[in-house]
Structure formats: C-alpha cells, structure tokens
Amino acid sequence: LILAELCLVTGTQIAHVPYKSSAQGLTDVAGGNVSMAIDFLIGSAPLIKAGKLFPIMLTGGRRAQAFPDIPTAMESGFAQLDLMGWTGLVAPRGTPQVVVNRLHSELVRIMRTPEMEQIVADAGGVVPANTPEEFGAYMQAQRKKMADIVRLTGVRMEQ
C-alpha cells in the first residue's frame, strides 16, 4: 500500500515488481536489477550501512535514531505520505481485561529496558508509549487509511 500511496501522492506510476521475500527485492536493488524498493528499515539497514543501498526517505513521521541523515517524507515535501510498518501484540476478543493489563505491563517492562530500546533503535524503530486502548485506536485509524488508499487507487491484493 505504501507504493500505491506514493504513486497517488506524487502523481506518478511505478511498476510493482512482486518478490517472495524482502531480501530478494533488496538484493536486486543493490545489484542494479530494479530501480528502487520500499522496505522496512529493519530489513534494509544492513545494506544501507554497507553502502549497497542509498536511502531516499522514510515514510514515517520521524527520523530514525540509527539513521539521522535520512529525511522523512514530510521533510521531502510529501506530508500526506505517512504509512509506516508497525508490530503489535494482540489477544483474542473477550480476553479478560486483567490479562490484557498484565500482558501490556510485562511487555512495556521488557521493551523499555535499555537493551531492547537500543536493539529497536538500531533497526530504525521506536518503542511507542501507548496503552492498549490507544493501540486499538491506532489500528482502527490505520485500517481506515489503508481502506481509503485501496478505494482511491484501486490497488488489489493478489493471492
């Protein structure tokens, strides 16, 4: 969806070349077989550090601590291009609130250790400080944004 949004925002058309894995796509960019890739920073970081890939911009709202010289889309003139990868822990609907609260508190305790924060930062990520309710609202907003991109671009997921 990031490619579809990039095309929508810039008024360009970019051919989507599907790969079975991110590593294959990044290898083809590094080898000059394709012009560009959109990937999670955690996957492309080693190739960027090795000088095999040149990062153009981050689609998230802030610069990565590990790569402070890579501008954001907003800084590059594309304020509306704000899709970024995220990972979250979810539980089945109906999970007792006491269980959700305990999982959340333990995960925060672990993720807020200096070691984990450094691992995440080195990969270009950020550990957010949100509650389960805020994360739920974030997921809903992302779902709506992605649905809007699909509606506006007509992009389809193929199996």
Side-chain angles (χ1 to χ4, degrees):
L1 286 177
I2 293 174
L3 178 61
E5 186 178 30
L6 177 65
C7 291
L8 183 67
V9 167
T10 61
T12 59
Q13 295 214 346
I14 301 171
H16 176 244
V17 180
Y19 283 87
K20 290 186 179 193
S21 76
S22 175
Q24 291 173 330
L26 293 175
T27 299
D28 269 2
V29 174
N33 297 318
V34 293
S35 302
M36 62 172 268
I38 297 173
D39 193 47
F40 295 106
L41 191 52
I42 192 168
S44 55
L47 291 171
I48 293 170
K49 288 178 181 175
K52 297 189 182 289
L53 293 179
F54 177 79
I56 297 170
M57 70 180 170
L58 298 174
T59 58
R62 69 185 108 184
R63 288 188 181 215
Q65 180 182 333
F67 298 95
D69 294 335
I70 304 175
T72 65
M74 179 178 282
E75 293 169 325
S76 300
F78 305 107
Q80 61 275 54
L81 184 60
D82 187 19
L83 277 178
M84 53 187 257
W86 51 269
T87 301
L89 181 64
V90 296
R93 183 179 306 279
T95 299
Q97 192 62 44
V98 67
V99 173
V100 170
N101 292 343
R102 175 70 189 273
L103 286 169
H104 178 257
S105 108
E106 289 299 313
L107 185 62
V108 167
R109 182 183 62 76
I110 293 165
M111 295 304 295
R112 288 287 176 213
T113 62
E115 298 83 8
M116 283 303 295
E117 285 192 329
Q118 191 61 53
I119 288 168
V120 172
D122 287 347
V126 175
V127 178
N130 58 10
T131 66
E133 295 76 21
E134 289 167 335
F135 179 55
Y138 177 79
M139 287 176 49
Q140 289 294 338
Q142 289 294 295
R143 183 177 295 125
K144 181 188 179 322
K145 181 172 183 158
M146 290 177 198
D148 289 345
I149 293 168
V150 168
R151 183 178 46 76
L152 289 169
T153 65
V155 68
R156 292 189 341 238
M157 300 294 284
E158 296 182 9
Q159 300 286 341

